[in-house]
Coordinates of all heavy atoms in Angstrom, one line a residue:
D222 N -12.6 -12.7 7.1 CA -13.9 -12.6 7.8 C -13.8 -11.5 8.9 O -14.7 -10.7 9.0 CB -14.3 -13.9 8.4 CG -14.7 -14.9 7.4 OD1 -15.2 -14.5 6.3 OD2 -14.5 -16.1 7.6
R223 N -12.6 -11.5 9.6 CA -12.5 -10.4 10.6 C -12.4 -9.0 10.0 O -13.0 -8.1 10.5 CB -11.2 -10.7 11.4 CG -11.0 -9.8 12.5 CD -9.7 -10.1 13.3 NE -9.4 -9.1 14.4 CZ -8.3 -9.1 15.1 NH1 -7.4 -10.1 15.0 NH2 -8.1 -8.2 16.0
V224 N -11.7 -8.9 8.9 CA -11.6 -7.6 8.2 C -12.9 -7.1 7.8 O -13.3 -5.9 7.9 CB -10.5 -7.6 7.1 CG1 -10.5 -6.3 6.3 CG2 -9.2 -7.9 7.6
I225 N -13.7 -8.0 7.2 CA -15.0 -7.6 6.7 C -15.9 -7.2 7.9 O -16.7 -6.2 7.8 CB -15.6 -8.8 5.9 CG1 -14.9 -9.0 4.6 CG2 -17.1 -8.6 5.6 CD1 -15.2 -10.3 3.9
A226 N -15.8 -7.9 9.0 CA -16.6 -7.6 10.1 C -16.2 -6.2 10.7 O -17.0 -5.4 11.2 CB -16.5 -8.7 11.2
M227 N -14.9 -6.0 10.7 CA -14.4 -4.7 11.2 C -14.9 -3.5 10.5 O -15.1 -2.4 11.0 CB -12.9 -4.7 11.2 CG -12.2 -5.6 12.2 SD -10.4 -5.8 11.8 CE -9.8 -4.1 11.9
H228 N -15.2 -3.7 9.2 CA -15.5 -2.6 8.3 C -16.9 -2.8 7.6 O -17.1 -2.3 6.5 CB -14.5 -2.4 7.2 CG -13.1 -2.2 7.8 ND1 -12.8 -1.1 8.6 CD2 -12.0 -2.9 7.7 CE1 -11.5 -1.2 9.0 NE2 -11.0 -2.3 8.4
S229 N -17.8 -3.5 8.3 CA -19.0 -3.9 7.7 C -19.9 -2.7 7.3 O -20.7 -2.7 6.3 CB -19.8 -4.8 8.6 OG -20.1 -4.1 9.8
D230 N -19.7 -1.6 8.0 CA -20.5 -0.4 7.7 C -20.0 0.3 6.4 O -20.7 1.2 5.9 CB -20.4 0.6 8.9 CG -18.9 1.1 9.1 OD1 -18.0 0.2 9.0 OD2 -18.7 2.2 9.4
R231 N -18.9 -0.1 5.8 CA -18.4 0.5 4.6 C -18.6 -0.4 3.4 O -18.2 0.1 2.3 CB -16.9 0.7 4.8 CG -16.5 1.5 6.1 CD -15.1 2.0 6.0 NE -14.8 2.8 4.9 CZ -13.6 3.1 4.5 NH1 -12.5 2.8 5.3 NH2 -13.4 3.9 3.4
I232 N -19.2 -1.5 3.5 CA -19.3 -2.4 2.4 C -20.2 -1.8 1.3 O -19.8 -1.9 0.1 CB -19.9 -3.8 2.9 CG1 -18.9 -4.5 3.7 CG2 -20.3 -4.6 1.6 CD1 -19.4 -5.8 4.3
E233 N -21.3 -1.2 1.7 CA -22.2 -0.6 0.7 C -21.4 0.5 -0.1 O -21.5 0.5 -1.4 CB -23.4 0.0 1.3 CG -24.4 0.5 0.3 CD -25.7 1.0 1.0 OE1 -25.8 0.8 2.2 OE2 -26.5 1.7 0.3
S234 N -20.7 1.4 0.5 CA -20.0 2.5 -0.1 C -18.9 1.9 -1.1 O -18.8 2.4 -2.2 CB -19.4 3.4 0.9 OG -18.5 4.3 0.3
L235 N -18.2 0.9 -0.6 CA -17.1 0.4 -1.4 C -17.7 -0.4 -2.6 O -17.2 -0.3 -3.7 CB -16.2 -0.6 -0.5 CG -15.2 -1.3 -1.3 CD1 -14.1 -0.4 -1.9 CD2 -14.5 -2.3 -0.3
T236 N -18.7 -1.2 -2.3 CA -19.3 -2.0 -3.4 C -19.8 -1.1 -4.5 O -19.7 -1.4 -5.7 CB -20.4 -2.9 -2.9 OG1 -19.8 -3.8 -1.9 CG2 -21.0 -3.7 -4.0
D237 N -20.4 0.0 -4.1 CA -20.9 1.0 -5.1 C -19.7 1.5 -6.0 O -19.9 1.5 -7.3 CB -21.6 2.2 -4.4 CG -21.9 3.3 -5.4 OD1 -22.8 3.1 -6.3 OD2 -21.3 4.4 -5.3
L238 N -18.6 1.8 -5.4 CA -17.4 2.3 -6.2 C -16.9 1.2 -7.1 O -16.7 1.5 -8.3 CB -16.3 2.7 -5.2 CG -16.4 4.0 -4.5 CD1 -15.3 4.2 -3.5 CD2 -16.3 5.2 -5.5
L239 N -16.8 0.0 -6.6 CA -16.3 -1.1 -7.4 C -17.2 -1.4 -8.6 O -16.7 -1.7 -9.7 CB -16.0 -2.3 -6.5 CG -15.0 -2.2 -5.4 CD1 -14.9 -3.5 -4.7 CD2 -13.7 -1.7 -5.9
E240 N -18.5 -1.5 -8.3 CA -19.4 -1.8 -9.4 C -19.5 -0.7 -10.5 O -19.5 -1.1 -11.7 CB -20.8 -2.0 -8.8 CG -20.9 -3.3 -8.0 CD -22.2 -3.5 -7.3 OE1 -23.1 -2.6 -7.3 OE2 -22.5 -4.6 -6.9
R241 N -19.5 0.5 -10.1 CA -19.5 1.6 -11.1 C -18.2 1.7 -11.8 O -18.2 1.9 -13.0 CB -19.8 3.0 -10.4 CG -21.2 3.1 -9.9 CD -21.6 4.5 -9.5 NE -20.9 4.9 -8.3 CZ -20.0 6.0 -8.3 NH1 -19.8 6.6 -9.4 NH2 -19.4 6.3 -7.2
G242 N -17.1 1.4 -11.2 CA -15.8 1.4 -11.8 C -15.7 0.3 -12.8 O -15.2 0.4 -13.9
A243 N -16.2 -0.9 -12.4 CA -16.2 -2.1 -13.3 C -17.1 -1.9 -14.5 O -16.7 -2.3 -15.7 CB -16.7 -3.3 -12.5
E244 N -18.2 -1.2 -14.3 CA -19.1 -0.9 -15.5 C -18.4 0.0 -16.5 O -18.4 -0.2 -17.7 CB -20.4 -0.3 -15.0 CG -21.4 0.1 -16.1 CD -22.6 0.7 -15.5 OE1 -22.8 0.9 -14.3 OE2 -23.5 1.1 -16.4
K245 N -17.7 1.0 -16.0 CA -17.0 2.0 -16.8 C -15.8 1.3 -17.5 O -15.6 1.5 -18.7 CB -16.5 3.1 -16.0 CG -15.8 4.3 -16.7 CD -15.4 5.4 -15.8 CE -14.8 6.5 -16.6 NZ -14.4 7.6 -15.7
A246 N -15.1 0.4 -16.8 CA -14.0 -0.3 -17.4 C -14.4 -1.3 -18.4 O -13.8 -1.5 -19.5 CB -13.2 -1.0 -16.3
T247 N -15.5 -2.1 -18.1 CA -16.0 -3.1 -19.1 C -16.4 -2.4 -20.4 O -16.0 -3.0 -21.5 CB -17.2 -3.8 -18.5 OG1 -16.8 -4.5 -17.3 CG2 -17.7 -4.8 -19.4
K248 N -17.1 -1.3 -20.3 CA -17.5 -0.6 -21.6 C -16.3 -0.2 -22.3 O -16.2 -0.3 -23.6 CB -18.4 0.6 -21.2 CG -19.0 1.3 -22.4 CD -20.0 2.4 -21.9 CE -20.7 3.0 -23.1 NZ -19.8 3.8 -24.0
A249 N -15.3 0.4 -21.6 CA -14.1 0.9 -22.3 C -13.3 -0.2 -22.9 O -12.8 -0.1 -24.0 CB -13.3 1.7 -21.3
Q250 N -13.2 -1.3 -22.2 CA -12.4 -2.5 -22.7 C -13.0 -3.0 -24.0 O -12.3 -3.5 -24.9 CB -12.4 -3.5 -21.7 CG -11.4 -4.7 -22.0 CD -11.4 -5.7 -20.9 OE1 -12.4 -6.2 -20.4 NE2 -10.2 -6.1 -20.5
Q251 N -14.3 -3.0 -24.1 CA -15.0 -3.5 -25.3 C -14.8 -2.5 -26.5 O -14.9 -3.0 -27.7 CB -16.5 -3.6 -25.0 CG -16.8 -4.7 -24.0 CD -18.3 -4.7 -23.6 OE1 -19.0 -3.7 -23.8 NE2 -18.7 -5.8 -22.9
E252 N -14.6 -1.2 -26.2 CA -14.6 -0.3 -27.3 C -13.2 0.2 -27.7 O -13.0 0.8 -28.7 CB -15.4 1.0 -26.9 CG -16.9 0.6 -26.7 CD -17.7 1.8 -26.1 OE1 -17.1 2.8 -25.8 OE2 -18.9 1.7 -26.1
M253 N -12.2 0.0 -26.8 CA -10.9 0.5 -27.0 C -9.9 -0.5 -27.3 O -10.0 -1.7 -26.8 CB -10.4 1.3 -25.8 CG -11.3 2.5 -25.4 SD -10.9 3.2 -23.8 CE -9.3 3.9 -24.2

Side-chain angles (χ1 to χ4, degrees):
D222 290 329
R223 182 178 175 187
V224 173
I225 292 169
M227 288 168 58
H228 305 297
S229 59
D230 59 323
R231 305 191 58 187
I232 292 176
E233 182 177 352
S234 170
L235 175 63
T236 301
D237 171 67
L238 283 171
L239 298 183
E240 289 178 347
R241 289 191 294 117
E244 181 180 358
K245 187 176 180 182
T247 300
K248 185 174 185 296
Q250 189 179 47
Q251 293 170 347
E252 298 175 352
M253 300 172 66

